[in-house]
């Protein structure tokens, strides 16, 4: 069974930075895509950033472009989300997800089925 272990969440002041990590293990397939989603209470889970494992192509939701950077370390099967210039509206539970095989990589929530336990990010003004 695939395991995704997230870490790095916490609290920050507006304008500050945090770095999230997602380590994948026990997957019986080749990883194609790793992504970060976030969810506020009572709201839909939204895609934040995704990265294609093979060629490193990245995808971002408009609200984080220029502030967040997703990267991966293939040797460690780990994806990172560097979050800079944080805003109070970035406050949410952040979840890591992966897609196997080939094909789609992006931010469409309905195409991801494997999730980590989540890590809370809280940004105060």
């Amino acid at each position: 069974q695939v395991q995704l272990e997230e870490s790095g969440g916490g609290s920050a002041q507006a304008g500050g930075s945090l770095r999230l990590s997602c380590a994948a293990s026990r997957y019986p397939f080749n990883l194609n895509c790793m992504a970060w989603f976030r969810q506020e209470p009572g709201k839909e889970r939204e895609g934040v950033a995704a990265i294609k494992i093979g060629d490193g192509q990245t995808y971002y939701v408009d609200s984080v472009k220029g502030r967040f950077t997703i990267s991966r370390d293939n040797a460690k099967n780990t994806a990172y989300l560097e979050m800079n210039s944080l805003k109070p509206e970035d406050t949410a539970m952040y979840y890591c997800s992966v897609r196997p095989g080939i094909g789609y990589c992006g931010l469409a929530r309905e195409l991801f089925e494997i999730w980590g336990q989540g890590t809370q990010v809280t940004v105060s003004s």
Side-chain angles (χ1 to χ4, degrees):
Q1 184 174 351
V2 178
Q3 288 190 341
L4 300 175
E5 185 172 353
E6 298 128 328
S7 60
S11 299
Q13 296 279 344
S17 299
L18 287 171
R19 188 190 194 213
L20 307 183
S21 298
C22 172
S25 61
R26 299 186 182 181
Y27 46 90
F29 46 72
N30 292 326
L31 292 179
N32 172 50
C33 180
M34 297 185 77
W36 288 96
F37 290 75
R38 64 187 179 188
Q39 187 171 20
E40 298 174 68
K43 293 189 177 181
E44 296 285 322
R45 190 170 297 187
E46 72 162 348
V48 176
I51 186 166
K52 203 158 190 178
I53 300 302
D55 61 13
Q57 186 172 356
T58 57
Y59 309 82
Y60 296 96
V61 67
D62 285 347
S63 60
V64 307
K65 285 180 181 176
R67 301 189 298 121
F68 290 12
T69 302
I70 189 170
S71 61
R72 90 282 193 215
D73 184 332
N74 291 350
K76 295 182 179 179
N77 301 315
T78 298
Y80 305 95
L81 185 66
E82 186 76 36
M83 305 186 293
N84 298 316
S85 302
L86 283 164
K87 303 176 180 180
E89 50 264 43
D90 294 320
T91 295
M93 185 72 79
Y94 283 69
Y95 296 91
C96 176
S97 186
V98 297
R99 276 183 54 85
I102 60 175
Y104 178 82
C105 186
L107 303 179
R109 156 70 179 93
E110 63 274 14
L111 296 181
F112 288 82
E113 298 179 339
I114 302 168
W115 300 96
Q117 79 286 355
T119 185
Q120 178 68 37
V121 170
T122 303
V123 183
S124 56
S125 57

